Amino acid sequence: MRSLKAAAFSTAVLLAATACGGGGSEGGASEAPDSLTVWVMGTAQDPVKKYFDTVEKRYQQDYPDTSVEVEFVPWADAQQSINNALAGGDAPDVLEVGNDQVANWASQGAIMDISSRTDEWGAVSDMDQAAVEYGAYDGSQYAIPWFAGVRTLYYRADWLKDLGMDPPQTWEELVEVATAIEEEQDVPGFAAPTDFTNGIASFIWSNGGEIAVQQQGEWQGELTSPETQEAIEFYAGLTSEENISPQAYVGENELVPLADMANSEVGMYIDGGWALTSMEEQAEDPAVLEEIKAAPIPGADGPAPAFAGGSALTLFATAEHPDAAWDLLTVMGDKKGGKAYADAAGYFPAYPEMLDDESYQSDPLKAASAEQMKNTQFFPATPNWNAADQDGKILPGAVLDIVKGEDADKVLEEANKELTETLNKPVA
């Protein structure tokens, strides 16, 4: 059995996994390996371990003699762990990667071109096609979507009920509702942190803008387009002009208003379903949590798109038994396996037809997220996106400068130039 000894792994769970997908292995059980290794990002939570117990029963129907070692890799250690594997260290067969990291790892040769396999797997046609395209790089498919999560607008339902108002669906309504909350409750009506690319992007997309587009093989920043600039200035103006978001969120990310939301210190803010656990931990009065509800993110003229953050499944470039590994991937990512993992991890499956499932629609918070999942977009699919956003903070930095009073035209012109140059840097 393959053994993984990388120190980055905080938890390792050995599971005799078994399952067969619809991938169509060429070799079949007669050429099955003794073991396969799967890298899953995050920690070994009980629902996820139970998920792999189910995968086990399915996979061994065709691979009865193959065991699977599942290693849980903390997200913070993922890059170093994959780099170590690339350098010749212990490596997985199947692995989970962030959906915004596919282009990065494909460009470095860490993951396998699975185009011929996905072309023959019928389940792919039922997946969110935009998410499928996000798993491609340089004309080839390198990963398929596994699950996704979106941000929504959290709001105090009891406060809005007292005001006789519904959750805002447009920018105009957002300002109106936030102003009413502040007048009635004496707390900020809305949180607009500046270090929040995911939230800012929704405002841009809802106004018909883009962050960057690809033209004839080159990336072109779009921060100075009329639609994008209007959205950025509106978002910045929620703090500097409309004054519905306080200065306390300038330079901050969504973690600061999360704590405030849990303790009745802000009326509305944008975050993902994963924030609920943190709210439970930070709420001084647990009863408050019962009044926190969710709705799709308000946009320029109606609900805004949201970035569908999540993960993709792929094969490591050095997988010794790619056919068997692919069959395991299909078990994890087909409709049964995909929904089961999404439910275990608290996300949504990659199949749009499942978003109307009763298990989601019966829970108001999940229903809002499921509805938002029907309206999603993605960041530029380039290995350089992280350099532009996480490292360079080009978009949030521009918003921060505008909030501080710098000239928006000049700020966005300089930011757009930097964005274009960064996205077009040669991939090593």
Side-chain angles (χ1 to χ4, degrees):
M1 178 172 294
R2 177 175 295 177
S3 175
L4 295 180
K5 302 181 178 67
F9 302 153
S10 63
T11 311
V13 177
L14 179 62
L15 301 170
T18 54
C20 189
S25 162
E26 296 175 5
S30 62
E31 299 181 10
D34 292 335
S35 66
L36 291 173
T37 302
V38 179
W39 282 5
V40 181
M41 302 302 153
T43 57
Q45 299 176 351
D46 286 341
V48 175
K49 289 189 286 185
K50 291 179 181 178
Y51 160 82
F52 278 105
D53 288 339
T54 301
V55 167
E56 171 184 47
K57 295 177 183 178
R58 296 180 61 201
Y59 189 66
Q60 273 194 337
Q61 289 174 11
D62 280 5
Y63 292 89
D65 299 321
T66 301
S67 61
V68 175
E69 184 174 313
V70 179
E71 297 283 355
F72 292 86
V73 184
W75 277 106
D77 298 331
Q79 182 157 333
Q80 187 60 53
S81 298
I82 295 176
N83 284 337
N84 290 342
L86 274 173
D90 291 323
D93 297 289
V94 180
L95 74 157
E96 171 191 359
V97 294
N99 62 357
D100 60 348
Q101 286 288 304
V102 174
N104 174 48
W105 293 120
S107 70
Q108 295 187 49
I111 57 180
M112 193 178 296
D113 180 344
I114 56 174
S115 300
S116 61
R117 301 177 188 278
T118 57
D119 286 345
E120 296 178 359
W121 188 28
V124 174
S125 63
D126 291 330
M127 294 176 179
D128 181 332
Q129 292 306 294
V132 173
E133 292 176 10
Y134 206 44
Y137 173 70
D138 199 24
S140 296
Q141 196 73 34
Y142 282 88
I144 57 100
W146 195 17
F147 64 85
V150 290
R151 288 164 174 80
T152 56
L153 178 76
Y154 284 108
Y155 66 92
R156 281 294 294 266
D158 53 341
W159 292 357
L160 265 61
K161 182 179 180 180
D162 290 343
L163 292 167
M165 306 180 85
D166 294 322
Q169 297 187 36
T170 66
W171 290 353
E172 181 179 358
E173 292 174 358
L174 176 64
V175 174
E176 181 182 359
V177 174
T179 300
I181 289 174
E182 183 164 2
E183 291 176 351
E184 182 70 20
Q185 300 294 334
D186 196 28
V187 299
F190 179 69
T194 59
D195 189 8
F196 190 27
T197 297
N198 287 289
I200 299 166
S202 286
F203 282 72
I204 291 172
W205 292 330
S206 81
N207 204 40
E210 295 286 351
I211 296 172
V213 296
Q214 197 168 24
Q215 300 174 342
Q216 298 179 338
E218 295 287 322
W219 286 97
Q220 176 60 52
E222 288 285 299
L223 303 185
T224 55
S225 74
E227 297 84 0
T228 301
Q229 181 161 345
E230 180 183 25
I232 290 173
E233 290 191 59
F234 176 79
Y235 186 88
L238 295 174
T239 301
S240 60
E241 295 180 16
E242 299 291 350
N243 296 317
I244 64 171
S245 179
Q247 290 289 325
Y249 301 140
V250 175
E252 301 290 351
N253 59 29
E254 66 266 42
L255 294 179
V256 175
L258 181 155
D260 291 343
M261 190 76 195
N263 291 295
S264 303
E265 295 177 7
V266 69
M268 298 180 289
Y269 96 114
I270 296 170
D271 208 341
W274 48 88
L276 292 171
T277 299
S278 294
M279 286 191 212
E280 291 173 355
E281 295 172 350
Q282 298 189 47
E284 296 177 3
D285 179 6
V288 169
L289 300 177
E290 298 178 6
E291 301 296 342
I292 297 176
K293 306 300 181 185
I297 298 170
D301 299 307
F307 170 62
S311 285
L313 289 174
T314 184
L315 304 182
F316 202 73
T318 60
E320 297 177 4
H321 301 276
D323 292 331
W326 171 254
D327 285 347
L328 177 58
L329 183 153
T330 64
V331 172
M332 294 167 61
D334 65 9
K335 291 181 180 179
K336 184 174 182 179
K339 184 178 186 304
Y341 189 83
D343 290 346
Y347 291 91
F348 292 92
Y351 300 91
E353 67 189 62
M354 295 181 175
L355 296 176
D356 291 325
D357 189 277
E358 179 62 22
S359 64
Y360 304 137
Q361 296 302 322
S362 61
D363 182 326
L365 291 174
K366 289 183 178 180
S369 295
E371 186 64 28
Q372 184 71 73
M373 278 289 300
K374 299 176 183 178
N375 187 13
T376 59
Q377 287 190 219
F378 296 88
F379 295 127
T382 163
N384 293 327
W385 172 245
N386 278 357
D389 185 49
Q390 295 183 18
D391 298 335
K393 292 189 179 295
I394 296 174
L395 176 56
V399 173
L400 176 61
D401 289 342
I402 294 171
V403 171
K404 290 181 175 180
E406 295 189 30
D407 181 74
D409 290 340
K410 182 178 179 180
V411 167
L412 292 177
E413 182 178 352
E414 293 177 353
N416 201 59
K417 180 180 179 181
E418 182 183 2
L419 177 63
T420 300
E421 291 176 350
T422 301
L423 294 182
N424 287 306
K425 286 182 178 179
V427 176

